[in-house]
């Protein structure tokens, strides 16, 4: 099991991005059933927000991209009070957003790796053993 954040998942949608090959290998491993990709429900809001506000895609293309993501059947987790408290502590300690901390906290709870394509997030949290850069 691997936790991936929106920076990785968005590379699945926008294939031309740097590190897209590595991101696609993670996706293909998940689709083939070789690796489970776990995400907090927050991921869907983050990806939808990017599609809706940061792209010039048509409404039909946005809907198609989001539907495709939904169909990947990622292992979704709803964070509870304990995860929020852990995320708050991580956010304060590493000076990262609670959104980013939610992914790391989920990986801690699941005892698995967390993969990000966000260099700034990685630089701030690389001392956390389970954090990997795509």
């Amino acid at each position: 099991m691997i936790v991936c954040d929106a920076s990785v998942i968005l590379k699945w949608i926008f294939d031309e991005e740097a590190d897209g090959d590595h991101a696609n290998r993670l996706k293909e491993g998940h689709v083939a059933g070789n690796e489970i990709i776990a995400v907090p429900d927050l991921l869907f809001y983050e990806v939808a927000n990017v599609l809706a506000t940061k792209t010039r895609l048509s409404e039909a293309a946005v809907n198609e991209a989001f539907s495709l993501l939904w169909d990947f059947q990622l292992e979704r987790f709803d964070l509870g009070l304990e995860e929020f408290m852990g995320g708050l502590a991580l956010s304060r300690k590493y000076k990262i957003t609670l959104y980013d901390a939610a992914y790391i906290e989920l990986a801690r709870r699941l005892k698995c790796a967390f993969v990000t394509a966000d260099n700034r997030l990685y630089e701030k949290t690389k001392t956390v053993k389970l954090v990997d850069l795509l």
Side-chain angles (χ1 to χ4, degrees), residues 26-39:
L26 290 173
K27 174 184 71 175
E28 290 163 8
H30 173 75
V31 170
N34 299 327
E35 188 71 68
I36 296 170
I37 294 181
V39 297

Side-chain angles (χ1 to χ4, degrees), residues 12 29 34 43-44 56 58 69 80 86 104 108 120-121 125 131:
W12 298 359
N34 299 327
L43 172 114
F44 293 94
R56 295 178 186 228
S58 68
L69 171 63
I104 298 171
R108 283 178 30 171
R120 287 183 296 196
L121 175 59
T125 60
V131 176

Side-chain angles (χ1 to χ4, degrees), residues 38-50:
V39 297
D41 280 335
L42 162 69
L43 172 114
F44 293 94
Y45 290 93
E46 288 190 300
V47 171
N49 185 61
V50 169

